[in-house]
Amino acid sequence: MSLVLPRTQWTNADRSMWEVVFAKGDLLDGQGAMAHVRLTTQTSLEPRYGRWLEWLRVNEPHALDLPPPQRATLDRLKAWLIALDHTAPMTRLAFVDGVLRVLMAAHPELDWSAHRTLRTRLKKQAGRGEQTRKKGRVLSSSVLLDAGLNLALVAADEAHSPIWRAIHIRDGAIIALLALLPIRRRALVGLRIGQSVFFNGETATLALSASLTKSGVPWESEIPAPVMPALMRYLQEARPALLARAAQPHDALWVARKGGPLGYGAVAPAIKNGTERMLGIRVSPHLFRDAAATTLARHSSCAATLIRPVLSHSSDKTAERHYNHAKMIDAGRDYATLLASLKEEQIP
C-alpha cells in the first residue's frame, strides 16, 4: 500500500493550488510563487505533499474538505510527526518542510510564524543528518580516481561480454571524472558533447551553464589529465558501442545500456556498482563531493580554500566544516600517537 497519494487523486483544491503556485506564465499572465524552482525540486516536493494528503485521507479524512492551509494546524502536523517517528529526524524535517514550503508560497498573506517555529525546532533536532551512513565510505579522491581508472582500463577487459565491457569502461570513466571534478548528479547526466563538454585532441573542458549548477552560476574547468585515459577510451570504444544500440544518435556524453542517454536515476546505481566492484564499498555520487572537500582540507589550509570553487558553492560554510573536521581527525591521531609514546616510555 502506497504511503503517498498520487496527484491524480488529490482534491480539486490541492491540484488547483499546486498548478497555480508552480505556474510558469509570463509577464502578462503572471508566474506562480514557486515558478522559479528547478524541476528536480518540484519533483521532490510532490511526494512529500502527497504523503501528507495520504496521512490525512487515512487518519483525518474530514480535513480534506477544508481549504489546504486550514488543514495544516500545529496539532495535525504534530500528530503527523508522531506517525513519522520511525523515520530519521532529517526525513521528518524534509516532509514537514516540503508541505510548509508549498502552503506558505500559495498563501503568503497568512500568519505562519508558529509553523516556522516548529520547522526551526525540527531543523535543530535533525542537525546535519545521520553521519553514520558516511562512515567508511568517504574515501580520499586519489583512491576513487585509482578505482575509476582501474575499472575503465584494466577490469573492463575481464568482462564476460562486450556490452559489460563497454559499461565498465563507462562507469570507470564517470568515477574517475567525479573523483577530480565532483559535479552534481544533475550536471553529470546533463553533459552534452559540443554544448557542455568540449574535446580538443587529448584535452577536454567542462562548461556548465547556470541551469546545471545549484548556485545558478556558470562553472568551467579543464578536465584533469589523469582522467583523460579513461575518458578517451570511453569515447573511442565504449560510447560508440553503446550508442549503436540506440534507435537514433544523440549528443549526451554518457550513454545507457540500451543506447539512450544515461538517466538521472540510473547514474547512481552505476557509480555504486562500480565502486563496490573495485573497492568493496558502495560510494554514492554525492560522497565524491565529501571526498574532495575532505581531501583538500586535509592537504593544507591553502588547499582548503579550493573547496568552494571546486564544489561550486556560494559560501565557505562547507569548506570551513570539512577543514575543521579534518583538523579534528589529525588532532585525534596526534593525541593517540602521543599517548602511545608515553606508554612506551613508562615500560621498564
Side-chain angles (χ1 to χ4, degrees):
M1 181 178 178
S2 175
L3 296 175
V4 177
L5 190 67
R7 184 142 61 108
T8 55
Q9 298 179 28
W10 293 5
T11 69
N12 291 334
D14 290 294
R15 286 201 302 270
S16 176
M17 179 189 68
W18 188 269
E19 292 170 0
V20 170
V21 80
F22 287 105
K24 296 300 181 182
D26 53 35
L27 293 177
L28 296 178
D29 298 332
Q31 293 186 335
M34 300 186 75
H36 63 285
V37 305
R38 300 182 187 278
L39 179 60
T40 51
T41 301
Q42 180 178 343
T43 302
S44 70
L45 288 173
E46 184 173 327
R48 301 182 205 177
Y49 194 82
R51 184 152 181 168
W52 161 244
L53 293 183
E54 175 63 13
W55 181 82
L56 289 174
R57 186 188 70 81
V58 173
N59 296 276
E60 296 194 35
H62 61 282
L64 292 177
D65 296 329
L66 300 172
Q70 291 183 22
R71 305 179 197 133
T73 64
L74 288 179
D75 287 340
R76 285 199 184 94
L77 287 172
K78 290 177 181 178
W80 187 35
L81 284 169
I82 293 174
L84 293 170
D85 192 54
H86 64 286
T87 63
M90 186 62 75
T91 302
R92 294 195 290 274
L93 169 63
F95 282 135
V96 173
D97 178 65
V99 172
L100 292 182
R101 283 184 65 182
V102 175
L103 293 177
M104 290 177 180
H107 298 277
E109 75 284 358
L110 300 179
D111 180 10
W112 297 102
S113 56
H115 297 77
R116 290 191 177 94
T117 299
L118 173 64
R119 185 169 59 184
T120 299
R121 291 175 180 171
L122 290 174
K123 287 182 178 180
K124 290 182 178 179
Q125 291 177 4
R128 290 186 51 244
E130 181 54 63
Q131 297 303 301
T132 56
R133 67 184 178 84
K134 297 183 180 181
K135 187 175 183 180
R137 295 195 293 154
V138 180
L139 308 175
S140 72
S141 296
S142 62
V143 170
L144 294 171
L145 173 63
D146 288 343
L149 294 176
N150 287 331
L151 178 58
L153 303 178
V154 180
D157 292 332
E158 301 173 359
H160 61 271
S161 68
I163 182 61
W164 278 108
R165 179 171 177 272
I167 290 174
H168 291 333
I169 294 174
R170 179 200 67 192
D171 295 349
I174 292 176
I175 291 169
L177 176 66
L178 287 183
L180 298 189
L181 291 180
I183 59 178
R184 296 182 186 276
R185 184 170 23 154
R186 185 168 60 84
L188 181 69
V189 299
L191 293 177
R192 296 292 184 272
I193 297 176
Q195 296 183 29
S196 48
V197 57
F198 304 89
F199 293 92
N200 182 19
E202 296 299 313
T203 64
T205 301
L206 290 187
L208 304 183
S209 64
S211 63
L212 288 179
T213 64
K214 186 176 181 179
S215 62
V217 178
W219 182 89
E220 182 174 329
S221 174
E222 182 175 312
I223 296 179
V227 179
M228 292 306 296
L231 187 57
M232 294 307 296
R233 187 181 193 191
Y234 166 71
L235 282 173
Q236 296 167 3
E237 300 179 31
R239 188 176 184 275
L242 293 169
L243 195 60
R245 301 165 66 89
Q248 57 185 16
H250 54 79
D251 59 1
L253 176 60
W254 307 114
V255 182
R257 178 172 182 168
K258 293 184 178 180
L262 189 66
Y264 183 87
V267 70
I271 293 171
K272 291 177 181 178
N273 291 339
T275 53
E276 184 176 36
R277 178 183 179 86
M278 302 308 298
L279 301 170
I281 302 172
R282 294 176 67 80
V283 182
S284 69
H286 193 77
L287 290 182
F288 281 76
R289 298 174 65 80
D290 286 305
T294 300
T295 299
L296 289 170
R298 297 196 64 190
H299 184 273
S300 69
S301 58
C302 182
T305 62
L306 299 175
I307 295 176
R308 177 178 174 181
V310 166
L311 299 186
S312 186
H313 280 165
S314 57
S315 75
D316 291 317
K317 290 183 179 180
T318 297
E320 182 179 359
R321 185 175 70 245
H322 279 278
Y323 180 70
N324 290 338
H325 181 240
K327 296 300 289 183
M328 289 173 62
I329 292 175
D330 288 338
R333 287 178 174 170
D334 291 343
Y335 181 54
T337 300
L338 175 62
L339 291 179
S341 64
L342 291 175
K343 288 183 179 179
E344 291 178 358
E345 292 175 1
Q346 294 173 359
I347 297 176

